């Protein structure tokens, strides 16, 4: 057995101690806490099959019920259609879960915004209180890395907020990318953020920002931000090679793979972008600053676009899911695993 297979197997064995009493998921102790990995995900990991991590904040805080549940199910289906196993991550009753059953997805979707939005700093508090947590990019990356999942698909990442040099408002997504070796497939960052400073911060953190079939960093709703990426990937195979090189070199940093919104949705994306610019002007005119600015901007953009922003958001997440899953499959092939391999 080659060394990557041995290291992966030891990683799985270290994290997995299945309890026969649970049919739907295997529990294991890791780093002092109880984690539950669904049987499907743990089986896929143990045989080296492609697995894609998915966050849960988009379910609880991204859109209303039942649209959030439908979208979550559709994204999981897209991952499967492209040859990978979806591993949606959340904290339920104080237990971090990697891979959710349909009832658990339904519970999150119905509870919605009452579920605590959970970044890395919140994980211990939610677990200690035996609460429910919808994981953001930083928390999802943390749990994905713990389970040995290399690819994580999301909509967009957080970043440095406008006037961040005064407020120090910098998303923990950026520091997580600097210390957690997971590849994050996203449509870049929303232009309500300071994109040039976001990219500068990632460069300081040593994070490779790769454009998927583009030289320019996408701005979520639009294909272009006016900022260049540090490297370009022209295929899912290129992306897999980048991830594998990062792992083998033990750089211990994440990779941001930036995928532009699909062309057929970029017209509505441009409409959303113009609404963002208008909302930014209004915020300046009304002297709305600091922590009040982002909620104002998001709410105003939603009003101005009459729901177009949500449709574009869903379209780009689905596109990211398809590309991220293909990357995960290429990575498995590159590492020489076979779906039927049994350890």
């Amino acid at each position: 057995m080659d060394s990557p297979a041995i290291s992966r197997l030891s990683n799985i064995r270290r994290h997995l101690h299945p309890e026969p009493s649970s049919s739907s998921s295997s529990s294991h102790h890791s780093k002092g806490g109880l984690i539950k990995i669904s049987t499907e995900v743990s089986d896929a990991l143990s045989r080296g099959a492609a697995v894609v991590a998915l966050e849960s904040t988009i379910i609880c805080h991204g859109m209303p019920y039942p649209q959030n549940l439908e979208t979550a199910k559709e994204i999981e289906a897209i991952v499967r259609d492209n040859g990978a196993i979806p591993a949606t991550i959340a904290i339920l009753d104080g237990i971090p879960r990697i891979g959710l059953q349909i009832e658990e997805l339904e519970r999150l979707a119905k509870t919605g915004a009452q579920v605590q939005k959970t970044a890395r700093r919140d994980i211990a508090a939610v677990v200690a209180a035996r609460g429910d947590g919808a994981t953001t990019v930083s928390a999802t990356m943390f749990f994905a890395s713990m389970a040995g999942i290399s690819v994580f698909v999301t909509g967009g990442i957080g970043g440095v907020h406008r006037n961040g040099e005064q407020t120090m408002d910098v998303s923990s997504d950026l520091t997580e990318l600097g210390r957690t070796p997971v590849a994050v497939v996203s449509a870049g960052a929303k232009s309500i953020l300071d994109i040039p400073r976001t990219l500068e911060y990632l460069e300081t953190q040593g994070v490779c920002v790769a454009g998927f079939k583009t030289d320019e960093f996408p701005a979520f709703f639009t294909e272009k931000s006016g900022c260049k990426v540090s490297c370009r990937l022209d295929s899912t195979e290129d992306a897999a090679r980048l991830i594998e090189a990062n792992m083998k070199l033990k750089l211990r940093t994440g990779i941001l793979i930036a995928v532009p919104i699909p062309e057929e949705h970029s017209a509505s994306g441009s409409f959303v972008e113009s609404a963002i610019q208008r909302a930014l002007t209004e915020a300046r005119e009304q002297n709305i600053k600091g922590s009040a600015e982002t909620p104002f901007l998001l709410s105003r953009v939603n009003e101005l676009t009459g729901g177009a922003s949500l449709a574009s958001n869903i379209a780009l997440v689905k596109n990211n899911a398809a590309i991220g899953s293909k990357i995960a499959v290429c990575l498995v092939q590159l590492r020489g695993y076979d779906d039927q391999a049994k350890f």
Side-chain angles (χ1 to χ4, degrees), residues 124-142:
V126 174
V127 169
R130 298 195 175 96
D132 293 345
T135 54
T136 65
V137 169
S138 63
T140 307
M141 282 182 76
F142 173 79

Side-chain angles (χ1 to χ4, degrees), residues 139-188:
T140 307
M141 282 182 76
F142 173 79
F143 289 123
S145 178
M146 183 186 277
I149 300 170
S150 300
V151 179
F152 160 42
V153 164
T154 186
I157 60 156
V160 178
H161 287 252
R162 290 177 185 241
N163 308 307
E165 67 277 21
Q166 268 98 43
T167 63
M168 295 297 287
D169 191 348
V170 179
S171 169
S172 63
D173 297 355
L174 305 186
T175 42
E176 201 63 42
L177 275 157
R179 64 179 162 192
T180 303
V182 170
V184 180
V185 179
S186 92

Side-chain angles (χ1 to χ4, degrees), residues 14-15 28-35 120 142 145-147:
R14 189 169 70 250
H15 289 310
H28 64 91
H29 287 277
S30 174
K31 299 185 183 177
L34 187 70
I35 308 290
R120 174 191 264 259
F142 173 79
S145 178
M146 183 186 277

Side-chain angles (χ1 to χ4, degrees), residues 50 52 54 70-88 153 262 265 313-329:
V52 170
L54 300 167
E70 287 313 306
T71 303
K73 291 197 290 194
E74 284 168 12
I75 290 166
E76 286 206 349
I78 288 166
V79 171
R80 291 183 198 283
D81 290 346
N82 286 282
I85 299 297
T88 301
V153 164
H265 297 285
N313 194 338
I314 292 169
L316 64 83
V317 175
K318 288 179 178 177
N319 183 55
N320 293 349
I323 290 168
S325 304
K326 288 171 184 165
I327 291 170
V329 169

Side-chain angles (χ1 to χ4, degrees), residues 54-287:
L54 300 167
E55 50 138 308
S56 45
T57 295
I58 195 169
I59 302 170
C60 298
H61 298 267
M63 57 195 80
Y65 179 82
Q67 194 172 17
N68 54 358
L69 178 61
E70 287 313 306
T71 303
K73 291 197 290 194
E74 284 168 12
I75 290 166
E76 286 206 349
I78 288 166
V79 171
R80 291 183 198 283
D81 290 346
N82 286 282
I85 299 297
T88 301
I89 295 175
I91 301 171
L92 291 172
D93 303 316
I95 300 170
R97 317 226 178 187
I98 300 172
L100 300 181
Q101 310 302 314
I102 185 63
E103 316 83 70
E104 293 167 335
L105 280 177
E106 281 173 359
R107 174 175 155 184
L108 284 170
K110 284 176 178 166
T111 316
Q114 290 168 266
V115 178
Q116 184 174 339
K117 195 171 178 179
T118 305
R120 174 191 264 259
R121 69 155 189 199
D122 310 302
I123 293 170
V126 174
V127 169
R130 298 195 175 96
D132 293 345
T135 54
T136 65
V137 169
S138 63
T140 307
M141 282 182 76
F142 173 79
F143 289 123
S145 178
M146 183 186 277
I149 300 170
S150 300
V151 179
F152 160 42
V153 164
T154 186
I157 60 156
V160 178
H161 287 252
R162 290 177 185 241
N163 308 307
E165 67 277 21
Q166 268 98 43
T167 63
M168 295 297 287
D169 191 348
V170 179
S171 169
S172 63
D173 297 355
L174 305 186
T175 42
E176 201 63 42
L177 275 157
R179 64 179 162 192
T180 303
V182 170
V184 180
V185 179
S186 92
K190 290 190 181 81
S191 63
I192 59 167
L193 300 167
D194 187 327
I195 291 178
R197 280 194 172 95
T198 296
L199 292 170
E200 283 292 345
Y201 196 95
L202 286 169
E203 188 268 331
T204 302
Q205 292 285 317
V207 177
C208 174
V209 178
F212 190 76
K213 298 184 179 176
T214 182
D215 296 305
E216 192 159 332
F217 189 71
F220 199 76
F221 291 117
T222 53
E223 297 158 274
K224 292 181 164 54
S225 66
C227 300
K228 297 288 180 216
V229 288
S230 54
C231 85
R232 178 185 173 119
L233 304 167
D234 282 308
S235 67
T236 51
E237 290 80 7
D238 284 352
R241 278 194 292 274
L242 176 65
I243 296 165
E244 184 66 351
N246 188 64
M247 287 289 187
K248 281 185 170 169
L249 290 163
K250 293 186 167 57
L251 285 167
R252 296 186 175 85
T253 49
I255 295 170
L256 182 58
I257 298 174
V259 180
I261 187 170
E263 212 172 319
E264 63 270 26
H265 297 285
S266 60
S268 56
S270 300
F271 170 56
V272 176
E273 184 59 33
S274 62
I276 288 171
Q277 297 309 320
R278 182 172 156 190
L280 283 164
T281 304
E282 288 177 12
R284 271 197 305 275
E285 287 167 353
Q286 295 172 43
N287 204 28

